[in-house]
């Protein structure tokens, strides 16, 4: 009896230890995919719709990219910029939320002078409104050109939470890339969209961190021992960021700066959401852009 319980307990502790070990350290995979095509050091712009998007959805990418724990090629230390297109004033809290975003970006490590927030009549926080691609492109354009942005990160066409403001962003970015190509502005940035996962995977929090790491390790193993080419034709190399415990805590501290948003259900979100732990990216390649630039498409349209 005693021994049986002892074995059960040991197995439980072993399981917990493996899970803890799996989630404790950050991990990145295929992240150089975000940067390739440019000899310069990467200048990455995160484009969001509302203050707190940067914590609720993009924190694993920001914290791991900015983490000292991850070794970067010294020529390629990424510069990270943030542009939020609205002050999030659907509830009349725009002024407060603007301040909260500044404090959150302080915690996440995006430097002053590399972050902006807009408050325009054509880009208002509204859960029933799609923003026009042209308005987004016009708003985004000067920041991309002046800062020589090499990579834009934003929502995908499903927008993670199906908020129409989120869903509008990739359309706006594609609009901008096409107009930059038309004006023959060199070095159009590459665009990556945060992949919306099926609902069933969305709220398994730390478990998704462990699973994402297992997936990365398994793929690497297959490449090493199997005959799988490291970049098979037809398969995109998906950049993946997985937060460790320390990165997750940073994201939590950043979320705490958004005091006006900390209603009870948001606590459930930060406890269980996959996006507090794992970010996976898919490149969006505007068709006319690659045709105009005359370079072979390095990845796949979505
Ligand atoms: C959102 O947009 C709809 C439709 O244009 C409008 O009726 C509503 O008042 C707007 N809500 C807010 C909070 O501005």
């Amino acid at each position: 009896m005693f021994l049986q319980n002892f074995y059960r307990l040991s197995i439980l502790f072993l399981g917990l230890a493996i899970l803890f070990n799996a989630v404790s350290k950050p991990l990145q995979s295929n992240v150089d995919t975000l940067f390739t095509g440019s000899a310069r050091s990467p200048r990455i712009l995160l484009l969001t719709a509302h203050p707190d998007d940067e914590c609720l959805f993009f924190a694993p990418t920001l914290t791991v990219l900015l983490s000292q724990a991850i070794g970067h090629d010294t020529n390629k230390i990424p510069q990270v910029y943030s542009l939020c297109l609205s002050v999030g004033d659907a509830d009349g809290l725009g002024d407060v939320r603007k301040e909260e975003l500044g404090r959150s970006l302080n915690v996440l490590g995006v430097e002053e002078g590399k972050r902006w927030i807009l408050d325009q009549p054509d880009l208002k926080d509204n859960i029933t409104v799609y923003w026009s691609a042209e308005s987004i492109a016009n708003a985004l354009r000067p920041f991309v050109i002046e800062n020589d942005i090499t990579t834009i990160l934003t929502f995908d066409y499903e927008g993670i939470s199906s908020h129409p403001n989120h869903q509008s962003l990739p359309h706006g970015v594609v609009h901008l890339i096409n107009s930059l190509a038309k004006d023959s502005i060199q070095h159009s940035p590459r665009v990556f969209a945060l992949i919306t996962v099926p609902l069933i995977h969305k709220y398994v929090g730390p478990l998704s961190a462990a699973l994402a790491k297992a997936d990365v390790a398994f793929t690497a193993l297959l490449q090493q021992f199997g005959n799988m080419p490291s970049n098979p034709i037809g398969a995109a190399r998906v950049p993946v960021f997985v937060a460790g415990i320390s990165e997750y805590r940073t994201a939590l501290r950043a979320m705490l700066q958004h005091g006006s948003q900390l209603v009870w259900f948001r606590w459930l979100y930060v406890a269980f959401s996959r996006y507090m732990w794992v970010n996976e990216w898919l490149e969006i390649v505007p068709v006319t852009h690659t045709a105009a630039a005359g370079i072979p498409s390095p990845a796949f349209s979505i």
Side-chain angles (χ1 to χ4, degrees):
M1 193 64 191
F2 169 77
L3 260 187
Q4 211 176 4
N5 282 338
F6 177 76
Y7 284 134
R8 278 194 195 139
L9 264 182
S10 311
I11 287 169
L12 178 69
F13 277 120
L14 188 65
L16 284 177
I18 289 171
L19 185 64
F20 181 79
N21 192 40
V23 298
S24 65
K25 293 223 174 57
L27 178 138
Q28 57 178 27
S29 169
N30 292 334
V31 165
D32 54 349
T33 304
L34 293 177
F35 311 150
T36 48
S38 161
R40 303 160 296 159
S41 75
R43 302 157 75 84
I44 300 175
L45 175 69
L46 174 67
L47 177 69
T48 57
H50 315 115
D52 79 6
D53 290 347
E54 81 290 351
C55 303
L56 293 176
F57 308 112
F58 300 101
T61 299
L62 290 180
T63 51
V64 177
L65 261 187
L66 293 165
S67 157
Q68 302 302 314
I70 298 284
H72 288 292
D73 178 343
T74 44
N75 296 324
K76 291 218 159 186
I77 293 173
Q79 304 289 308
V80 179
Y81 300 75
S82 160
L83 173 63
C84 182
L85 291 186
S86 85
V87 293
D89 61 351
D91 300 319
L93 294 170
D95 287 341
V96 177
R97 298 194 67 189
K98 205 186 330 182
E99 302 293 315
E100 290 173 348
L101 176 62
R103 292 203 296 273
S104 163
L105 290 171
N106 282 343
V107 172
L108 292 167
V110 179
E111 294 163 18
E112 276 180 53
K114 293 184 178 168
R115 56 204 214 191
W116 310 277
I117 185 163
L118 303 182
D119 185 14
Q120 299 186 178
D122 52 347
L123 300 170
K124 282 281 183 200
D125 175 16
N126 189 323
I127 200 153
T128 64
V129 170
Y130 289 90
W131 290 340
S132 103
E134 200 177 354
S135 293
I136 295 168
N138 288 341
L140 181 56
R141 188 185 175 96
F143 296 97
V144 167
I145 293 177
E146 275 158 35
N147 299 287
D148 196 12
I149 296 299
T150 60
T151 305
I152 299 175
L153 305 178
T154 195
F155 290 103
D156 69 0
Y157 295 111
E158 293 177 64
I160 313 293
S161 62
S162 302
H163 194 304
N165 298 167
H166 298 177
Q167 292 173 330
S168 307
L169 295 187
H171 294 283
V173 177
V174 167
H175 193 284
L176 172 69
I177 301 296
N178 287 335
S179 85
L180 290 177
K182 249 184 248 137
D183 303 349
S184 334
I185 290 186
Q186 295 297 302
H187 303 307
S188 263
R190 294 175 68 177
V191 184
F192 289 83
L194 184 64
I195 298 174
T196 298
V197 297
L199 187 63
I200 188 162
H201 294 156
K202 253 183 201 166
Y203 297 107
V204 289
L207 192 60
S208 47
L211 289 177
K213 281 179 178 159
D215 190 37
V216 166
F218 191 63
T219 309
L221 208 67
L222 277 184
Q223 279 166 1
Q224 199 156 9
F225 296 108
N227 287 328
M228 204 167 123
S230 62
N231 192 9
I233 307 290
R237 291 175 76 238
V238 174
V240 181
F241 294 86
V242 187
I245 297 225
S246 146
E247 290 72 24
Y248 178 76
R249 285 178 53 196
T250 303
L252 265 188
R253 266 198 299 131
M255 194 57 215
L256 285 174
Q257 311 307 313
H258 292 283
S260 71
Q261 303 304 304
L262 291 172
V263 289
W264 67 270
F265 60 84
R266 234 169 234 110
W267 287 111
L268 288 183
Y269 180 92
V270 299
F272 293 109
S273 171
R274 174 186 171 86
Y275 296 98
M276 295 292 289
W277 290 95
V278 182
N279 281 172
E280 292 142 310
W281 296 93
L282 204 55
E283 182 161 24
I284 299 181
V285 182
V287 175
T288 54
H289 163 56
T290 50
I295 43 170
S297 164
F300 308 90
S301 306
I302 56 170

